[in-house]
Amino acid sequence: MCPGSYDPVTNGHLDIIERAAKLFDEVVVAVLVNKNKKSLFTVEERLDMLREVTAQWPNVRIDSWHGLLVDYCRANDIGAIVKGLRAVSDFDYELQMAQMNQRLSGVETLFMSTNPLYSFLASSLVKEVATYGGDVSNLLPPKIEQRLRERLTEN
Ligand code: PNS
């Protein structure tokens, strides 16, 4: 399970998904709701974008879920959550969630170190840079960048 807000999916997410897909027989990439974040794209739009950019990996499946991550994992017999760690700043919150998820359900979280090329990358920063006309072309697949530009000009 590679969970996230994916608002929108970035090259950093795709790096983790691709590497997880090499390690596991099947990877579910699930759009979940993060109560601390306001989203730019609807869940359906995020799913569409994820399907488009993960189509080359046959063992990757895209889904969404509105409840607890561990309930989805239990219902689908998923034993491992894979999360990318960019920096020490990610660690505190990720560790807390991993321990909570383990306590709630027994589902384990495995941390994967991000590719250093993407260690600064976050959807929230990409949206901010793009809002003010900055170049984000190396940070997102071209089709996602286009969708982001369109959304920002609508708003
Ligand atoms: O991409 P994000 O926003 O860092 O992903 C965080 C996410 C969505 C994976 C996390 O907020 C989550 O698991 N939300 C689902 C609700 C849940 O299970 N909350 C309890 C976490 S211990």
Side-chain angles (χ1 to χ4, degrees), residues 2-7 13 30-37 65-71 81 83 86 93-94 96-101 104 123:
C2 291
S5 305
Y6 298 109
D7 186 48
H13 293 130
V31 174
L32 279 112
V33 175
N34 184 339
K35 293 245 181 265
N36 302 316
K37 294 182 181 171
W65 181 249
H66 286 269
L68 279 180
L69 172 60
V70 292
D71 286 342
I81 298 165
K83 285 291 202 89
R86 289 168 293 201
Y93 186 49
E94 290 296 343
Q96 203 178 7
M97 284 198 289
Q99 290 172 330
M100 177 63 87
N101 286 333
L104 287 171
S123 299

Side-chain angles (χ1 to χ4, degrees), residues 4 12 14 109 114 126 152:
L14 290 174
T109 297
T114 54
V126 169
L152 291 173

